[in-house]
Amino acid sequence: MYGYVGKLLFVNLSDHTTEVKELPEEWAKDFVGGAALGARVLWEYMPKNTPAFDEKSMVGFVSGAFNNTPVFFGARWTACSKSPFNDQWNDANSGGYLGPMIRKAGYDGIFINGIAEKPVYLYIHQGKAEIRDASFMWGKTGPEAEEALYKEL
């Protein structure tokens, strides 16, 4: 489907659920790339006038159009949400491993909402997503948390 995987992952931290939804073909044609596709998904699935810090507010991590292709510098991804600063659209894009890893995990985007009662992390393996307890990382520095996560996995 035009270079897309065709699946979106929705994660709700409040009720610890994950759901995979099909990416509509017309969205893949009309909203190319991370920011455009992210905007379309948030428009459809986030309730109108939701405050940025509300549990129904979403943050999306969307793979760019050229991830996992031979296009030079194609490994881009976009984080998108409602801005807590101005209550409007907010997006930022980056390169690196996350965009290709989203695709390799079997998704075009990952959209997270809800508020977890305790620290959690999202674990995706062979296309299956799980919300796991991250209490063992709480209070650690970045490198310490990374080491603890490596030991956990």
Side-chain angles (χ1 to χ4, degrees), residues 54-69:
D54 190 272
E55 71 176 307
K56 292 180 182 165
S57 186
M58 290 181 149
V59 61
F61 302 91
V62 189
S63 183
F66 298 113
N67 278 290
N68 288 350
T69 71

Side-chain angles (χ1 to χ4, degrees), residues 12-15 53-55 113-117:
N12 186 316
L13 299 177
S14 295
D15 61 14
F53 291 117
D54 190 272
E55 71 176 307
N113 73 329
I115 300 170
E117 292 180 11

Side-chain angles (χ1 to χ4, degrees), residues 129-149:
E130 300 175 37
I131 300 169
R132 293 187 172 181
D133 181 28
S135 297
F136 65 95
M137 289 190 277
W138 203 244
K140 294 187 182 326
T141 65
E144 291 169 343
E146 185 176 3
E147 186 177 327
L149 190 56

Side-chain angles (χ1 to χ4, degrees), residues 15-29:
D15 61 14
H16 289 257
T17 58
T18 63
E19 181 181 4
V20 177
K21 295 184 181 186
E22 296 296 316
L23 172 65
E25 187 172 338
E26 61 273 10
W27 292 8
K29 289 180 188 177

Side-chain angles (χ1 to χ4, degrees), residues 34-132:
L37 183 57
R40 181 62 181 96
V41 171
L42 265 59
W43 177 267
E44 183 72 25
Y45 292 106
M46 194 168 83
K48 186 177 179 180
N49 298 321
T50 301
F53 291 117
D54 190 272
E55 71 176 307
K56 292 180 182 165
S57 186
M58 290 181 149
V59 61
F61 302 91
V62 189
S63 183
F66 298 113
N67 278 290
N68 288 350
T69 71
V71 173
F72 195 57
F73 291 115
R76 305 297 295 176
W77 63 275
T78 300
C80 56
S81 66
K82 188 169 194 177
S83 171
F85 177 71
N86 64 12
D87 216 29
Q88 301 295 317
W89 171 253
N90 186 42
D91 72 88
N93 78 77
S94 182
Y97 295 110
L98 185 60
M101 290 297 125
I102 291 171
R103 285 274 171 84
K104 286 181 181 181
Y107 306 107
D108 293 305
I110 300 169
F111 295 87
I112 302 171
N113 73 329
I115 300 170
E117 292 180 11
K118 60 182 181 177
V120 296
Y121 69 95
L122 179 62
Y123 175 74
I124 302 173
H125 183 68
Q126 296 181 343
K128 182 172 171 27
E130 300 175 37
I131 300 169
R132 293 187 172 181

